[in-house]
Amino acid sequence: MGAVLPYMVAALLVGAASSIQPAVNAILARAVGSAYGATVVSVFVALCTIVAITLVTGRGRVTPGVLLGVPWWVYLGGVVGALLVAAGVVVAPVTGALLFFILVVAGQLLGAMAMDHWGAFGLSVREVSPLRVAGFGLVLAGAVLVLRG
């Protein structure tokens, strides 16, 4: 666990930091008059940020040949990222940040459970079990508690 702990802390910190994204993007949406316009600005800032990080740390093998050689569906990650930002701008002001993120996490868990079960995208198969379903159920129960609270 020791080797994984720094990554776990990093994930926790990034998750905590990401909680501001829907709120600040909603402010931006009001300023520019469009949720999707705010999403464009947010994703553009994200692009500039990651380009700068890539230039400092090394770009790896980001070449036209490599990019043309991967399956088309690997680019769905970028589509999903943009949809997540847009959903935060549109949905979080209605549901509140906490319920929005609980439901996002529940959706991620459901998708992850399915991908693990079938070994999608080269993952090791980890079949759905009663304990995994119970864990997912606890997240859904949390969503109900937040909604009623």
Side-chain angles (χ1 to χ4, degrees), residues 10 22 27 33 56 62 66 90 120 126-127 132 145:
I27 293 167
V56 170
V62 182
V66 170
V90 173
R126 292 177 178 88
E127 292 185 2
R132 286 174 173 248
L145 291 174

Side-chain angles (χ1 to χ4, degrees), residues 46-63:
L47 172 67
C48 292
T49 302
I50 202 63
V51 165
I53 291 169
T54 302
L55 290 173
V56 170
T57 63
R59 68 182 184 115
R61 295 183 311 145
V62 182
T63 64

Side-chain angles (χ1 to χ4, degrees), residues 12-87:
L12 183 67
L13 293 174
V14 168
S18 73
S19 67
I20 71 162
Q21 191 176 36
V24 298
N25 283 344
I27 293 167
L28 181 59
R30 286 191 296 276
V32 301
S34 167
Y36 303 109
T39 300
V40 168
V41 173
S42 182
V43 172
F44 178 73
V45 170
L47 172 67
C48 292
T49 302
I50 202 63
V51 165
I53 291 169
T54 302
L55 290 173
V56 170
T57 63
R59 68 182 184 115
R61 295 183 311 145
V62 182
T63 64
V66 170
L67 297 177
L68 291 171
V70 297
W72 67 269
W73 43 263
V74 301
Y75 296 106
L76 291 176
V79 173
V80 171
L83 292 175
L84 179 61
V85 172

Side-chain angles (χ1 to χ4, degrees), residues 1-16:
M1 176 150 158
V4 176
L5 187 60
Y7 293 95
M8 292 171 63
V9 170
L12 183 67
L13 293 174
V14 168

